[in-house]
Amino acid sequence: MAKVKPPSKREIKDAAVAQVLRVLREFRAKQPDADVYAAAYYMFYCDGSWMSWPMVAIGTQENLLRDDGTVDEGLRWSPADWGYDVEAEDTDYALAKRVHDYALTLGGEDAYDDAYERRFLRIFPKAAKAATKQAIAEGLADEDFIVVPLDEAMELVRPALTEEQLRRHFPELVAAELARQSILDLPQPERITTLIGLLDYQPGALVTWEDASAMLRDEGVAAVPQLVAALRGELVDVGVISLLADINHADPEAISALEAVMLDENQGEPERCWSASALARLGRQDLILAQIEALPDWILASLAAPYCSFADRTRDRNLDYRPLEQILSDHPRLKPVIKERLHSPPCSLRDHEVPEAERATRSEFSLVRKH
């Protein structure tokens, strides 16, 4: 692929600053007396085939008021509900496309994602700081005004704000960070126990079950014995089951526990299906096939799990279509069952997996070639 020159980080930053100031000036012309407390970049979107420039919304104290005069704090950092947002201009979208086109030339999804992170997303906190300073200097907002990039994971918020601003406007993020750090400071066995206890959904928890799952995934093999103990005990949970597959360590005790759940007709369908999927992702399709006459199709479909999107969380994964080809060869009746599951979003391709993906395009099985 021909070389493509990406826009400079300065170009991205200048355009992002100009976007906020443009929208803020337009807003002030329409509502000069509004009590503006923030502007936000939001609707960041990139799926590998398209990279979009975010919108800008203006937040006002007036928009937070309910009919009875009380403040709806749930709207304070929900820019889609602020009532005034503006799409980017064509020149902004053109810059995003240049980053996208450049990222495509790097080869592989990992390189693309890295370019999106370094050459696009990370620039917006810097732009937010600069736009905040300029907006206040121009008298478009008062000294308490902030510009903040509100990405879905809230990862761009901290670098856009000072510590004081973060504590004032996003105390829940500060509290969550402190809670996560307090867990990380625990000795590893106690840390793993604590994290497993957080896998059970608790509304309002500072450390969410998603955070706990990610932290347990980072613990790797060390977490497997306690996860197995939980699975054999009272926590037969799809989160625990999925983590055993994510960590990607085919421990005999883990395999045995997963097989027991898959075969236990007293368990729910999700738990049995996820256990079968975990076995497939751990390379133990043979344990599923050994029960081919006894297991329902909705469990047998789990043979396709290593090739579906939830396998993206697998540590040290190596994509390999040969087991699937062998299954299709030995058990042709399973083709429609597996085909239906393969229609779910496929796993992402990692750089080191490209040779296997290219080999699979020449497979004798159309199901593999098309996937």
Side-chain angles (χ1 to χ4, degrees):
M1 186 176 291
K3 288 285 186 180
V4 174
K5 184 178 180 180
S8 69
K9 294 180 181 179
R10 180 61 181 269
E11 285 180 272
I12 300 289
K13 178 183 173 182
D14 287 351
V17 172
Q19 180 188 18
V20 169
L21 295 174
R22 180 175 64 248
V23 174
L24 193 52
R25 291 178 189 127
E26 292 170 354
F27 177 80
R28 279 301 189 200
K30 297 174 182 178
Q31 300 186 44
D33 298 324
D35 187 358
V36 175
Y37 65 88
Y41 302 106
Y42 84 109
M43 292 292 288
F44 291 91
Y45 180 78
C46 178
D47 64 3
S49 62
W50 169 251
M51 189 181 297
S52 184
W53 192 280
M55 302 174 69
V56 165
I58 304 297
T60 68
Q61 298 292 351
E62 291 85 354
N63 190 62
L64 302 180
L65 294 177
R66 300 187 180 95
D67 292 339
D68 62 2
T70 59
V71 174
D72 186 349
E73 289 295 341
L75 299 181
R76 186 170 294 278
W77 301 111
S78 179
D81 297 311
W82 285 355
Y84 193 91
D85 52 19
V86 179
E87 289 193 14
E89 295 192 338
D90 290 345
T91 52
D92 300 324
Y93 286 118
L95 286 172
K97 186 178 186 304
R98 285 172 59 193
V99 177
H100 166 73
D101 291 344
Y102 164 75
L104 287 177
T105 69
L106 301 177
E109 184 171 347
D110 292 344
Y112 182 98
D113 290 344
D114 183 63
Y116 177 56
E117 174 76 22
R118 290 187 300 105
R119 292 185 170 271
F120 195 77
L121 287 182
R122 290 186 193 175
I123 300 171
F124 280 87
K126 299 175 182 178
K129 288 184 175 181
T132 296
K133 184 177 180 179
Q134 192 164 336
I136 294 171
E138 288 188 21
L140 294 169
D142 62 27
E143 292 290 333
D144 291 331
F145 171 79
I146 61 170
V147 179
V148 59
L150 292 173
D151 59 311
E152 186 174 358
M154 302 291 278
E155 293 176 348
L156 301 180
V157 175
R158 169 171 275 285
L161 303 177
T162 66
E163 286 296 328
E164 190 279 330
Q165 289 171 333
L166 194 67
R167 287 193 298 270
R168 186 198 314 173
H169 297 292
F170 296 94
E172 70 284 358
L173 290 183
V174 176
E177 287 179 1
L178 291 173
R180 284 193 293 270
Q181 189 57 52
S182 69
I183 293 173
L184 291 173
D185 290 340
L186 294 171
Q188 189 176 54
E190 186 178 349
R191 182 168 67 240
I192 292 170
T193 300
T194 301
L195 290 171
I196 290 176
L198 292 170
L199 292 176
D200 190 17
Y201 173 71
Q202 302 170 27
L206 289 176
V207 179
T208 67
W209 69 267
E210 293 99 331
D211 290 335
S213 293
M215 293 167 74
L216 279 166
R217 199 173 296 118
D218 290 341
E219 295 292 339
V221 174
V224 170
Q226 288 199 49
L227 287 169
V228 171
L231 188 59
R232 289 195 183 279
E234 297 181 357
L235 195 58
V236 181
D237 177 84
V238 295
V240 172
I241 293 166
S242 180
L243 278 166
L244 287 170
D246 295 347
I247 292 171
N248 196 22
H249 178 61
D251 176 83
E253 289 298 318
I255 297 298
S256 175
L258 290 168
E259 183 183 23
V261 175
M262 177 186 71
L263 298 177
D264 186 352
E265 295 184 356
N266 292 319
Q267 296 291 344
E269 288 189 12
E271 289 77 13
R272 295 184 68 193
C273 189
W274 277 86
S275 293
S277 295
L279 288 170
R281 289 171 59 193
L282 290 169
R284 294 307 307 268
Q285 294 95 328
D286 60 304
L287 296 177
I288 304 172
L289 294 171
Q291 303 292 332
I292 191 171
E293 300 302 328
L295 293 175
D297 284 353
W298 51 266
I299 289 182
L300 294 174
S302 299
L303 291 163
Y307 315 99
C308 298
S309 59
F310 47 78
D312 286 343
R313 300 190 298 263
T314 308
R315 291 167 58 101
D316 304 319
R317 188 193 71 193
N318 286 300
L319 185 66
D320 187 358
Y321 280 98
R322 289 171 298 179
L324 178 60
E325 291 171 318
Q326 191 64 52
I327 291 169
L328 293 173
S329 175
D330 294 345
H331 306 280
R333 83 162 184 86
L334 293 178
K335 180 179 178 179
V337 175
I338 293 173
K339 181 179 181 180
E340 183 176 357
R341 179 64 60 86
L342 286 177
H343 280 166
S344 62
C347 61
S348 300
L349 191 63
R350 300 173 184 178
D351 291 348
H352 70 278
E353 295 172 334
V354 171
E356 171 60 9
E358 291 177 340
R359 184 203 66 79
T361 62
R362 302 185 294 274
S363 172
E364 64 176 293
F365 298 98
S366 61
L367 192 59
V368 175
R369 293 196 304 271
K370 293 178 181 178
H371 189 259

